[in-house]
Amino acid sequence: MSRFPSLQIHPGRSLGFLILGASLHDVLSRLKAQPHLYPTIDVSYSPTQPLVAPVILDLPANGFRLRFDGPDQRLRLIEILDFGKTQLSYKNIDLVKLPEENTTTAAGSSQHGPIFRHVYNRLMGPTFPGEYLAPDDTTDKYTGLYVLSYPGIAFTFSLQHSAWSPDADFVSLLSSTAAAPAKSLAIFNGASWHEARKDLFTRPCPHPRSLALSTKGKEYQPDEIELAIIFGGGVVELSRRSSSPFRIILGETTPQDLVAELGPPDAIYRKNDHRLSIHKPRRREPRASHGSYGASPAKSEDFLDTDHSSAHTTTDDSDAEEDTDQRDDDPSQSTAKCFYNYFHHGFDIFISYPSGPSPQFPNANTLAHPPTTNRALDRLVATKVILHGNVPGSYPFNRHRRSQWMIDPDAASTSNILDSETSFTTLSNELRNVWKGSYGSNHAEKATQNAIVLDRDWGDSPGSSYEVLEGWEDGEQTQKRGSSTQEGSGSGTTQIFGFPGMLFEVLKNDVQQTRKEKPEFVLHDGPPFANGPLHIGHALNKILKDITCRFQLALGKRIKFVPGWDCHGLPIEIKAVEQANERTTSHDVSADPIQIREAAESLATDAIAKQKASFRQWGIMADWKNPWKTMDANFELRQLEVFSTMVKKGLINRKFKPVHWSPSSRTALAEAEVEYREDHKSTAAYVKYPMEFRVDDQVSTIGLVIWTTTPWTLPANKAIAVNTNLEYWHIKSRKHGHVVIAKGALPGAKEYLGEGYEVIQMIHGRYLAKREYFDPIELKHFRKKAKPRPILHADFVSPSTGTGLVHIAPGHGMDDYHLCLKHGIAAFTPVDDAGCFSNLVLLRGRHDALNGKPVLGQGVEAVLELFDSVGALVKRHVFVHKYPYDWRTKQPLIIRATEQWFADVGQIQAEALESLSAVKFVPETGKDRLMSFVTNRKEWCISRQRAWGVPIPALYHTSSGKAILTAESVDHIITQIKSLGIAAWWSDEDTDPGWVAPSIRAQYPNSVYRRGSDTMDVWFDSGTSWTQMTKDGNSAPADVYLEGTDQHRGWFQSSLLTYIAQHDHQTQAPFKKLITHGFVLDSAGRKMSKSIGNVISPDEIIGGTLLPVGKDKKHEAMGADALRLWVAMSDYTSDVRVSLAVLQNVHIQLKKYRNTFKFTLGVLRDFEGPMMMKPETLQSAHRMALLQLGHTFRLVHTYYSEGNYSKALSEINRYVVKDLSGSYIESVRDVLYLDQGKVRRQAQFTMLIIHQCLQTMLGPITPLLIEEVWDHSPAYVTVHYPHPLQIVWADHQRGLDLFHDARLALDMPTLSKALAAVNAAQESARSKDLMGSGVSCYVLLQVQACDGEGSDVLSCFGRYRSELAMMFAVSAVELDGKGVSPAHGWAGEWMASEEFDVKAVKVIAHVHKPSQAKCIRCWRFLAPPDAPKDAALCDRCDTVIKQLTLKSPELFESVPQAAAAG
């Protein structure tokens, strides 16, 4: 059964809990609450007409799709697209019985729906004839669609067009074999599909929007709001579904009234709740001239910068910090203010004490709508109504139900209806006309509207008001920036516009156009195979790509990263056939190419869905809605067009020549599909071939001894090669007689001859090259018919291995083939596709014993027995050597001559090599590696003997077998495929003349041609994926290709060659930068292997199951960021290791980041500005922290730019551990916890900058953590700053540059050395149990030499004398040098010292016992020494206690005497 719950179908009403008429918000809320049942939810909509086109909600994992109307966002149509994903029932009868989940058939693998008889006879019963939809091409071989409709439900069946007739009985027709099972199902409201589809998205819905109201047995829910009518003057009338209207009067309606009429709110948000960020005002602080520490830096590109008058901004002379102290409202009022959120009604209502009255519309009928007078100022009332437009594409889309509203035309005196479907351009022009006469001048109008926007506060815009979140602009009417309506701030893709008593937050549909003007960064995805779950190598690859893209995004670029999948090829086909054969026992699926392709496509589709889910779980940012797949029709057509271009350029030809052949796969392989094993064992043999030779003036037979590691190729022998530059020796052995071997091979002759030998004479290679020899078996059994064979010269012959004589079989070796081709000797291959001897071997003599034997098994033994039977076998032995294997099946290959299609890449080799000169390689060694592969490849075997792939568009004469592949024939076939679909290549009759170009048919009218069955090499498929990269309609090179180092001989090479072949006289590669990474190894440096048992899956890292269990006996999940962190910390330019020790380090780092952010969030919890502080107002410790941050920020930027992510992460770690946690946090902890006012705000402001910059630095690596931090950020941060994953890196850098202090930068090395010495001295004292925390000591810095350089060092310390205690996190710091003496004197009880040098000046840091008492509040030893122990307060804490006592006396029941005095 499906892993998803069974759903009941109710025609005209629902599918399970999905009820027609339900709101998009309600449906999404229910679906998102059950991610285990609905793992993938894709929402799509029209970006230019968001309220016109339907909103489509896809659930691919569940097999159905939902369509909502645009204006009201209510469910109108439920479509079942895949009956194999979810068990569907009607009146408890299954539509299709799904297999059990634990069977070999995976849930959801079936693509077929119920058959017609099941629907007609068992489920729905009789109905009227339906509607037939003919295919675009109405030839007999195509199928149309028959729509069988019932009230509220319709089924779609595929029907062969040739069987269709308007007069035919539809029951008989759909019951015949011409009809396929149901392809889809639709649930709708209406009597029939034919009638319902006319007004499907506009007719009234019979069911409520709320799922709760639609479900029987639920508790009472308040009536639904259908429309909000705005009358002005603070009056909003809510029209309800069945009840009488309810009026909200701002300033009068109480929370109790709301609850009585609307029910309790779905949520209540109070003022300091960070979740209020979507309602929070965008406070208009003075914007800095540079940097990001003014207002919303990332938004400055999208929003008009209004002219801030002095009435609304603080000037440079004002004290921004003092101003923030006066911002707080009366605490009692502040805590009472809140939002009543009515998600399911589509609006929020702000509750507060009454503010100013809401303005009436000019010329409004005050008698019909009199202004409110009953405004009690001492009670909480509704003062603001926020109506949610819920426009697709806006930031808070789907948070609420869409609210429909209109402005009462009588109240506003407008000629047109102004409502939620009106574009803002029209609406704003109308409202401007309404209010035009109310302003004294244009300046007054702009000033008023400007003030409304600028003064917008959390519920405090002038007077009571209505706010409409997310209106929308019509794409054809969008005004340019700076148009008639004043622009304000906004959120994401929205902006705020103001009118008296009304605010509109409008979706700007021209934002995307603005983004397109940004520089584009293209990372082209190297496709993974769609054949199974992802492994750790995939994680390394995709996460590296994501880090690269996210950093480029942070540079302000528009990212184009479209994921791809390689869907064809042998692995997928083999796996698909195995699974299909397991499901059926009636026939072998592998014999039917159509069934193979269907099974393979289903397998690939399922694998893609699962892989996509994993990629998204890892936080990979990509265009997931528009991936490219090599099995997509559009991709296949572009690939064929590239092939056509290569045909026209003469680069494609057919040859009978040796290729790597896989008996296990029964197909030819390219070099990129071959891997080599070093431990292959072969049965090697020394064999002698007879040659007539004069010995002792008599003609005799002498043996030419050859050595071969492939004895099975001996029946295909055509020649023997020697080197004419070598000397050969004629020797005599008792057992083997007269034989010839090369002089250089004599030292090993005794071993393989098995005895000593006698040297007869030297024979020069030039003499042998003119002679002939015989096959020993032919000579023995067919002496008179035996044909002599030539001895040829070859440069590749060497005595270093073997005997210096080489057996030549042109059908089984490339060197052999080229040598024989030169001498006109044809290749011969007596081996079939399965790697067995064929019946051709019978022509070679007494070889009947060989026929049918596998050449890599019994065939070898049989061949050696034949040679031994005629005395030609000298010796056999086992030889361990490097040997080619099929990289997919892991089985050995053979070299075998077959007719294959080849790409003559030698013709474009020069251009390909030249193009690489402009490519940047990371690491640089990749350039030589790729150039070596390109240089050594002259031909590329591109044909494969498989069914699952893109066909090679060749035709063959049925009689002669001659192939036809011309530009005209290929273009005609491409045209046919565009029309019929690529599946028709296999489904049509083999000799269908429609596939033959008209000119060929006219020239050869009596000839019959069949289509070929070969498909293209999968490297040709993925190699043409650059066709998916288009700019202005043309293919353009990508900025980056990033793959494993094995792709130098694979995808990198095939992409380069096809790209160069396609573009005339082009010397530009398809990539500007090529990055390669190594393989993933275990802790011992071994490759991951199931047989070894060292495989680590990404899920194990994410789930933390590899780590030891915690105290609760459970594993602590690390999350996807742990996987990403492991990738980032690895030097990917070489092989990467993963082990328990590595993962534990990852876990520690991730915890460190989380704890750091917990601290910064805690610091910022109550921070409410200012957004900017002048550098000179900050204490030195803060400025030093910002200097350190700036240095780290620049360095991390450099490492990211270089792609050196491990160094970037290492620098971030160093900063967090040393500069931040180890230094700055320690120095300001006391200030943050115990200080008040300016001093504390300085530390908070500095911590805010660190918090933001640290998020930006970590964003590309740990985006999920950053998202979590953002979700928990205080409202002030989320309102005034952009999302950290959207901020432009340079904005932070400009902001940090503002705080660069040249003097402090020069002094920092000295101060850092002093801090290190103090820490060392403290550790020495702690080791002796002399002290505890840092504040339990004083520090004395003693400068030994105080002249010249020594004076400079002392002056450096003196400049920061009052702040050194804070920097060093101690109670006090004193100086001792020329003219300077310590104020506190020496305690004398204990002391620890550490010496250091600064500019050759000796300085000693003394740590000693404090001379004063410990403050009970801050624990610093700065209280009077004679103060009572339980009442000792330092001066600072004494002042703070007094202030708090006066401000909040109820907090202090008992106050220490020291605080009470005064």
Side-chain angles (χ1 to χ4, degrees), residues 1352-1385:
D1352 291 342
V1353 173
L1354 190 61
S1355 297
C1356 172
F1357 291 136
R1359 280 191 286 273
Y1360 310 101
R1361 183 170 187 173
S1362 63
E1363 301 178 45
L1364 288 177
M1366 177 180 174
M1367 290 183 185
F1368 296 166
V1370 296
S1371 287
V1373 177
E1374 301 291 347
L1375 301 179
D1376 186 18
K1378 186 176 181 181
V1380 180
S1381 58
H1384 290 286

Side-chain angles (χ1 to χ4, degrees), residues 314-472:
T314 52
T315 65
D316 289 341
D317 296 329
S318 65
D319 189 345
E321 296 181 36
E322 289 299 329
D323 178 65
T324 59
D325 276 342
Q326 307 302 319
R327 283 199 307 251
D328 291 336
D329 300 326
D330 182 345
S332 63
Q333 293 193 25
S334 176
T335 56
K337 293 179 180 180
C338 64
F339 266 107
Y340 273 23
N341 293 126
Y342 288 97
F343 297 118
H344 293 85
H345 288 316
F347 53 78
D348 297 343
I349 300 175
F350 183 61
I351 307 298
S352 69
Y353 291 95
S355 54
S358 181
Q360 290 274 359
F361 286 113
N363 304 319
N365 185 346
T366 57
L367 294 178
H369 307 288
T372 58
T373 57
N374 184 27
R375 305 181 63 86
L377 302 180
D378 58 348
R379 65 175 178 174
L380 292 171
V381 292
T383 57
K384 192 181 304 298
V385 177
I386 298 179
L387 306 171
H388 292 273
N390 209 42
V391 177
S394 59
Y395 167 64
F397 179 47
N398 296 331
R399 282 184 58 92
H400 296 72
R401 196 201 91 192
R402 174 168 168 71
S403 179
Q404 291 192 294
W405 54 268
M406 67 174 291
I407 298 175
D408 182 72
D410 294 332
S413 300
T414 57
S415 56
N416 297 315
I417 296 295
L418 303 181
D419 60 14
S420 48
E421 272 65 70
T422 306
S423 71
F424 185 76
T425 306
T426 302
L427 189 145
S428 61
N429 288 336
E430 286 275 353
L431 289 180
R432 290 183 71 250
N433 288 330
V434 168
W435 290 96
K436 191 172 184 179
S438 302
Y439 305 111
S441 62
N442 290 336
H443 176 76
E445 176 185 0
K446 291 182 179 180
T448 302
Q449 292 182 356
N450 189 43
I452 288 175
V453 175
L454 293 180
D455 284 351
R456 184 188 185 208
D457 203 343
W458 193 84
D460 297 327
S461 51
S464 301
S465 64
Y466 323 102
E467 299 187 19
V468 181
L469 295 186
E470 305 132 59
W472 66 287

Side-chain angles (χ1 to χ4, degrees), residues 298 550 553-554 1157 1251-1260 1263 1265-1271 1273 1277-1278 1281-1289 1292:
R550 286 182 182 274
L553 180 67
F1157 282 125
H1251 176 79
Q1252 293 293 94
C1253 288
L1254 185 57
Q1255 287 183 90
T1256 298
M1257 289 190 288
L1258 282 172
L1265 172 62
I1266 302 309
E1267 288 282 5
E1268 185 180 359
V1269 172
W1270 178 255
D1271 287 343
S1273 294
V1277 174
T1278 58
Y1281 288 89
H1283 194 292
L1285 297 181
Q1286 297 172 350
I1287 195 170
V1288 177
W1289 195 288
H1292 271 322

Side-chain angles (χ1 to χ4, degrees), residues 781-846:
H781 299 287
F782 304 94
R783 188 172 186 83
K784 293 181 179 181
K785 295 181 180 180
K787 296 180 179 180
R789 303 175 185 178
I791 301 176
L792 308 174
H793 163 73
D795 291 332
F796 58 76
V797 176
S798 167
S800 59
T801 55
T803 64
L805 296 97
V806 178
H807 141 63
I808 300 298
H812 297 291
M814 285 307 300
D815 289 339
D816 305 29
Y817 171 79
H818 289 298
L819 177 63
C820 290
L821 186 65
K822 180 180 177 181
H823 292 277
I825 302 173
F828 171 67
T829 307
V831 180
D832 64 17
D833 292 355
C836 298
F837 283 117
S838 68
N839 56 10
L840 292 175
V841 79
L842 295 174
L843 301 176
R844 310 304 301 165
R846 248 190 77 195

Side-chain angles (χ1 to χ4, degrees), residues 72-90:
D72 206 12
Q73 293 177 358
R74 301 182 70 176
L75 180 57
R76 301 289 189 157
L77 180 65
I78 302 171
E79 299 172 277
I80 307 299
L81 304 179
D82 188 341
F83 291 91
K85 297 291 179 65
T86 301
Q87 184 68 65
L88 304 173
S89 303
Y90 174 67

Side-chain angles (χ1 to χ4, degrees), residues 533-554:
L534 300 176
H535 54 68
I536 194 72
H538 289 115
L540 174 64
N541 177 262
K542 271 296 196 291
I543 291 173
L544 282 174
K545 292 175 181 175
D546 190 63
I547 294 174
T548 302
C549 288
R550 286 182 182 274
F551 174 67
Q552 294 296 325
L553 180 67

